[in-house]
Amino acid sequence: MIRQPSAEEGGTRHMPHAANVEQGGRLKIHSLAAGAGDDFADDVRRGLGSARKALAPKYFYDELGSHLFDAICLLPEYYLTRAEAEIFACHAGEVVEEARRGAERVTLVELGSGSASKTRRIIEALLERQKHLTYVPVDISPAALEASAHALLGDYEPLRVSAYAADYDTALPRLSSELEDGARALVLFLGSNIGNFDRAEARDFLRRLRGVLRAGDRLLLGADLKKDGAVLEAAYDDALGVTAAFNLNLLARINRELRADFNLRDFRHLALYNDTEGRVEMHLESRRAQTVRLDALDLEVHFGEGERVHTENSYKYSLEELSALAAATGFSRARTWLDAAERFSSNLFVATDA
Ligand code: AVJ
C-alpha cells in the first residue's frame, strides 16, 4: 500500500502531477500541492496578524480533525449528516434516476468527500443501473481520502477511483480531464459543505464549477436550511464538547506544525447564530490577555482578554435562495428532497445551456 505522508509528518509537498496507481489499477491518487509556497504557514501568519483575527476552516481537517469531524456527525445535536443520510435512504433511487435521465452512463465526482459514507447509497443506486462506475473524490485530507478510497474499492468490485488530495480551487481545473464524452457528470457537494462559502463566494465557486461542466451535467447540492437559532447553536456547540475539540484542534495543529505554544485551556469555543447573515459563526475566544509564540514563523501574537479568532462560517439557505443561487450560476434547481423534519435539503441542479 502506498501511504501519503500526513501533514503532521512535516508537510511534505508533492509534485503537482504525481499520481500513485494501485489496487489492480482501479485506484489513482493525485496529490496536488496548492499553488506555490507553504499555504498553512502563510495563511496562519496573515490570519493571526490581521486586526480581526481569522483562520480558514479548511485547516480543521488534518488527520485528527477529520476524525473529530466524523465524530461530530454522530452527535445527537448535529442533525445535518443524519438528515441527509435519511434523504438518501429514502430517495437515492429517485435522485439517481433524475441524475441519469437521458444519459447512458454517469461519472460520479464528489467535492469534500471525507469518509464518503453517505455516498455509498448513491454509488449503489448507480451500480444498479450501470455496469462500471468512475468515482472522482476530492478532499483536503489525504488520510481521509486514502482510507475511504480503499474501503470503497474493497466493497464495490465495478468501481474505479481517481482521487484528488487537494483543496477545491486546485482540483477544479483538473476535473474536466475526468469527464469523458458519453458520460454525464454527477457532482456531489454534500453535507452543507457549501456553507463555508459566503454568499458571493458560493456564487463564484458554482460558476467556476459550471465552467468545467457541460450542459445537462448535474450537481447534487446538500444545503442546510434556515431554522431556529437555538437548534443551530446546539448543533455547533454540543454537550459532549466534540465541536469545541474540533475547533480547538486548529490551535493544536498550529502547535504541532508551526512549533507554537498555544495553551488550549486559555481559549474558549464559541458558536453563535448570526440571524442577519443567516450563518452560524465559530470563534475561539481568548480567556485572558496572553502572548503566543510560533517558532516556525518566528512570530509572537498577542491576544487581548475576550479577543476572538473567527474560524468558520456555516451559511444556511432557504429554498428561494437555492433557486436564485442556481439561476445565478448557470444551473436550474430541477428537484429538491427534504428529510421528514424539513431541516436539510438535497438539491438536484441541472447545468443549463451556456
Ligand atoms: C463540513 C462545513 C459542512 O459547517 O456544518 C461541523 C463543519 N463545523 N461542526 C458545517 C462543521 C462545526 C461542517 N461542514
Side-chain angles (χ1 to χ4, degrees):
M1 177 169 117
I2 298 166
R3 216 175 132 270
Q4 303 285 325
S6 64
E8 295 91 318
E9 292 172 293
T12 308
R13 318 298 300 185
H14 299 274
M15 295 302 293
H17 298 286
N20 296 320
V21 183
E22 53 177 313
Q23 206 138 6
R26 291 197 292 135
L27 172 61
K28 218 184 254 175
I29 297 183
H30 313 261
S31 299
L32 305 186
D38 196 336
D39 304 302
F40 184 52
D42 292 347
D43 288 352
V44 168
R45 182 188 293 284
R46 215 168 310 126
L48 297 183
S50 82
R52 294 173 152 282
K53 292 183 173 64
L55 295 167
K58 68 176 176 182
Y59 294 120
F60 285 136
Y61 303 94
D62 65 352
E63 192 163 11
L64 176 56
S66 294
H67 284 294
L68 288 169
F69 178 69
D70 287 343
I72 286 174
C73 294
L74 300 173
L75 294 168
E77 296 94 337
Y78 194 75
Y79 59 85
L80 289 79
T81 313
R82 265 186 315 280
E84 193 175 46
E86 177 194 318
I87 294 170
F88 291 176
C90 297
H91 305 294
E94 234 182 336
V95 170
V96 160
E97 284 295 325
E98 286 291 336
R100 283 174 49 89
R101 187 178 302 283
E104 295 259 295
R105 205 151 50 84
V106 166
T107 295
L108 186 64
V109 177
E110 180 164 12
L111 304 173
S113 50
S115 66
S117 40
K118 287 166 291 180
T119 313
R120 287 168 173 261
R121 295 274 186 181
I122 304 291
I123 289 174
E124 286 163 19
L126 284 167
L127 286 176
E128 283 168 18
R129 294 164 176 87
Q130 64 188 56
K131 264 214 175 96
H132 298 278
L133 177 64
T134 299
Y135 175 52
V136 184
V138 175
D139 203 88
I140 189 96
S141 166
L145 194 68
E146 202 187 338
S148 66
H150 282 114
L152 291 172
L153 287 168
D155 290 346
Y156 305 105
E157 226 302 292
L159 200 63
R160 192 184 80 81
V161 176
S162 184
Y164 289 80
D167 62 22
Y168 300 142
D169 286 341
T170 311
L172 212 51
R174 296 289 299 271
L175 288 182
S176 47
S177 71
E178 297 285 347
L179 307 182
E180 332 150 49
D181 297 341
R184 172 177 291 160
L186 169 58
V187 179
L188 308 179
F189 197 23
L190 305 181
S192 187
N193 276 334
I194 192 156
N196 279 165
F197 293 127
D198 70 28
R199 313 264 173 208
E201 288 167 346
R203 283 191 294 272
D204 177 66
F205 182 73
L206 291 193
R207 274 187 203 120
R208 284 186 291 132
L209 173 63
R210 174 65 189 85
V212 306
L213 299 179
R214 303 144 305 182
D217 281 341
R218 312 296 210 238
L219 167 66
L220 186 66
L221 181 67
D224 195 20
L225 298 173
K226 287 184 166 165
K227 60 180 63 64
D228 180 52
V231 173
L232 288 167
E233 287 183 353
Y236 291 83
D237 190 10
D238 61 281
L240 264 178
V242 180
T243 310
F246 175 73
N247 198 7
L248 286 161
N249 178 54
L250 201 40
L251 302 183
R253 181 178 183 179
I254 296 173
N255 283 349
R256 290 190 289 270
E257 295 184 29
L258 301 176
R259 286 181 283 121
D261 63 358
F262 278 103
N263 183 346
L264 306 190
R265 293 191 160 76
D266 285 337
F267 288 83
R268 184 198 331 269
H269 163 71
L270 286 180
L272 310 163
Y273 185 55
N274 179 334
D275 216 341
T276 343
E277 298 285 348
R279 70 187 192 206
V280 176
E281 299 178 3
M282 294 209 315
H283 301 264
L284 291 163
E285 186 180 273
S286 179
R287 294 178 189 269
R288 62 187 104 259
Q290 53 183 315
T291 299
V292 174
R293 169 135 196 103
L294 293 79
D295 271 339
L297 300 184
D298 194 23
L299 179 71
E300 286 194 342
V301 181
H302 180 75
F303 295 85
E305 181 178 347
E307 187 177 357
R308 293 172 183 180
V309 184
H310 189 173
T311 53
E312 186 174 49
N313 289 320
S314 292
Y315 281 82
K316 307 304 169 187
Y317 284 86
S318 68
L319 295 179
E320 297 69 40
E321 286 169 331
L322 289 162
S323 296
L325 179 61
T329 57
F331 294 96
S332 81
R333 178 165 70 91
R335 282 289 298 271
T336 291
W337 295 267
L338 305 179
D339 63 306
E342 305 193 350
R343 296 166 296 186
F344 195 90
S345 65
S346 294
N347 305 276
L348 192 74
F349 283 15
V350 177
T352 51
D353 299 283

